[in-house]
Amino acid sequence: MKYRRPKRALNSAETVTLRMERMAQGGDALSHLEDGRVCFVSGALTGELAEVVLSQNKKDYAKGFAKKILEPSEFRTTPQCPFYGKCGGCSLEHATLEFQLESYRASVEELFRRFAKTELPAGWKIHSGSPYGYRNRARLVRVGKGFGFRETQSHRVIPVSSCKVLTSGINKAIAENVFPNVPELSVFDNGNGKISYYYKGMESAEFEKFAMNSVQIEDVSISMDSASFFQSNLEVLPELVKTVKKAAGTGEYLIDLFSGVGFFATVLQKNFKKIVTVERDANALFHANKNVPGAHNVSSPAEDWLAQNDASGADVLIVDPPRTGLPPSALEAIAKADPKKLLYVSCDPATLARDFRLLSENFGYKILNAEGFAFYPQTPHFEMFLELKRS
Ligand SMILES: C[S@@+](CC[C@H](N)C(=O)[O-])C[C@H]1O[C@@H](n2cnc3c(N)ncnc32)[C@H](O)[C@@H]1O
């Protein structure tokens, strides 16, 4: 398989032969140059010997791409996507799903060792589903008459006629090109035949017609729209719901922070008498009020709500922040509120490990259960769940 050289000016186009030691964060393999510097290599796998073209030659580290694999790994596979190596969406398509799952495991464990000085519970479970055709949400960028995705290491957009990780519904929407004049289009496939769309500046009548959607999870229909956040792997999502439900159990008072359309509160509402959801995106409030009508649904940054309200007395507090993790003031306020159970859902294991370190060192939190969810195969992204308790 050929990797195209990044378009940016190269510091050095030197070719070196390297043995890959392990996978690093972000889907590159890690190796060392003769002078001792770490070299991150795209397109290579643990154990492989490869001819590597250096694309960045920094003082402390180098980066390169595998031009030729001299000794391939038994876990190497042929990428299915014609844009692979060029489109910035995927970086692990040259590895089997089995290898990808083990890389996620190794990478999360390493992050917890490095950032949190903690071992995850032995044999922690990883849930996974289809390696392709899973992604039910996409933001498409206009290029020419069609759509595309951002190129690796650049802001340029390459035209993409179809994408292997997207659901067939979203690929059909790309082919149909329903809104030919919009520069960006958010598309959502509810897994049940309904595709919804959102573009900036959409008028409210159009929003009603094209953006509104709903997702069925177990026996609950969850109202959402294409402008708001919603999870993007509907095949594995029920596993996360089961895990969160089991950990949450039943109780009097549930707080769901970074709640989107009130997602976790919706599936847990039968089990709690008093519920508060807090979400920054004002657009999501309409849905939270519909999805969890008995709750106090708040449109606010979680850190502001925590600063202005007494969050103590919760049986369960769920946080599901964006990749940046918890703002420090929110983390401190949550620990002070001292919920009986703290459930942390994370789409970035690095910030999760960072936050867990603060929770454990400053407030005595321990991990009762950890589970992983391969929501984004072929990419280095990975979802984690931690059930935490104060000792
Ligand atoms: C990973 S999503 C999770 C949403 C929801 N829990 C779900 O599963 O659908 C993170 C959510 O946090 C929201 N968000 C980002 N920063 C926030 C903040 N400071 N306070 C509250 N919500 C925030 C985003 O708008 C997004 O809806």
Side-chain angles (χ1 to χ4, degrees):
M1 186 187 60
K2 281 208 179 107
Y3 279 82
R4 280 173 215 218
R5 195 175 291 179
K7 291 272 177 316
R8 285 201 283 166
L10 305 179
N11 294 335
S12 162
E14 200 185 330
T15 301
V16 286
T17 300
L18 296 175
R19 175 77 67 189
M20 306 304 136
E21 295 156 31
R22 63 179 172 85
M23 298 309 284
Q25 306 302 322
D28 288 351
L30 185 147
S31 185
H32 280 89
L33 298 172
E34 261 189 1
D35 61 15
R37 281 177 304 151
V38 163
C39 184
F40 298 99
V41 183
S42 65
L45 300 176
T46 310
E48 289 186 332
L49 187 72
E51 256 178 37
V52 176
V53 178
L54 297 183
S55 52
Q56 284 187 39
N57 218 337
K58 305 272 183 197
K59 200 166 142 250
D60 302 327
Y61 69 93
K63 280 187 172 187
F65 60 94
K67 186 177 154 214
K68 192 171 176 194
I69 303 296
L70 304 170
E71 289 177 20
S73 157
E74 60 180 303
F75 299 107
R76 175 165 283 276
T77 187
T78 309
Q80 294 194 16
C81 174
F83 310 103
Y84 188 55
K86 200 166 180 237
C87 168
C90 296
S91 57
L92 283 166
E93 251 201 83
H94 56 293
T96 60
L97 182 63
E98 184 192 359
F99 182 93
Q100 293 181 33
L101 297 180
E102 277 318 303
S103 309
Y104 296 140
R105 180 184 297 287
S107 132
V108 175
E109 289 179 353
E110 164 72 8
L111 284 168
F112 271 76
R113 255 175 235 131
R114 191 146 48 101
F115 293 150
K117 314 274 174 267
T118 301
E119 292 294 325
L120 290 179
W124 59 281
K125 190 168 178 179
I126 294 182
H127 305 259
S128 67
S130 308
Y132 288 104
Y134 62 82
R135 195 177 163 94
N136 50 274
R137 185 162 64 94
R139 186 175 294 159
L140 309 171
V141 185
R142 173 74 54 204
V143 52
K145 289 202 164 121
F147 286 111
F149 295 116
R150 302 226 180 273
E151 237 181 39
T152 314
Q153 294 178 27
S154 112
H155 290 296
R156 278 179 32 157
V157 178
I158 56 158
V160 169
S161 48
S162 74
C163 164
K164 293 278 177 190
V165 302
L166 294 177
T167 63
S168 55
I170 296 198
N171 275 315
K172 197 160 163 259
I174 295 176
E176 284 172 356
N177 202 359
V178 191
F179 299 97
N181 299 318
V182 300
E184 271 195 28
L185 187 65
S186 297
V187 189
F188 186 85
D189 175 353
N190 79 345
N192 220 354
K194 179 151 187 197
I195 307 293
S196 52
Y197 304 87
Y198 173 73
Y199 57 84
K200 225 172 160 190
M202 201 174 215
E203 306 232 327
S204 57
E206 288 227 304
F207 193 93
E208 200 62 41
K209 188 170 171 199
F210 294 108
M212 297 299 244
N213 210 334
S214 64
V215 176
Q216 187 76 23
I217 300 278
E218 297 177 341
D219 57 343
V220 197
S221 172
I222 306 181
S223 170
M224 56 83 63
D225 63 61
S226 280
S228 313
F229 175 89
F230 204 90
Q231 303 286 355
S232 53
N233 186 326
L234 295 181
E235 185 191 347
V236 188
L237 185 58
E239 297 289 313
L240 174 62
V241 168
K242 261 190 231 153
T243 301
V244 169
K245 269 183 151 179
K246 190 167 169 221
T250 57
E252 292 291 316
Y253 182 17
L254 167 74
I255 301 177
D256 182 2
L257 299 182
F258 307 88
S259 52
V261 295
F263 182 72
F264 291 114
T266 307
V267 295
L268 288 167
Q269 61 190 313
K270 283 190 193 143
N271 302 345
F272 292 84
K273 290 198 179 120
K274 177 183 169 190
I275 299 177
V276 174
T277 75
V278 183
E279 160 63 42
R280 187 175 66 181
D281 173 12
N283 189 48
L285 183 64
F286 167 83
H287 300 288
N289 284 334
K290 213 165 154 193
N291 292 328
V292 220
H296 177 45
N297 299 304
V298 182
S299 173
S300 159
E303 57 276 32
D304 293 359
W305 182 80
L306 285 162
Q308 289 152 15
N309 293 273
D310 178 8
S312 61
D315 296 289
V316 177
L317 191 149
I318 300 174
V319 290
D320 183 8
R323 283 190 196 152
T324 42
L326 290 175
S329 67
L331 189 143
E332 211 161 289
I334 289 165
K336 287 211 175 103
D338 200 16
K340 285 194 191 129
K341 285 179 193 169
L342 175 56
L343 309 184
Y344 196 142
V345 179
S346 160
C347 52
D348 188 334
T351 53
L352 177 66
R354 177 203 70 195
D355 289 349
F356 174 69
R357 179 186 182 155
L358 295 172
L359 286 165
S360 83
E361 284 186 357
N362 299 346
F363 304 103
Y365 277 89
K366 298 247 171 315
I367 299 173
L368 288 191
N369 184 30
E371 294 186 32
F373 299 84
F375 273 1
Y376 323 99
Q378 320 304 340
T379 84
H381 302 295
F382 190 61
E383 189 88 2
M384 280 296 291
F385 163 84
L386 290 186
E387 181 179 349
L388 302 171
K389 200 170 165 48
R390 219 164 178 165
S391 46

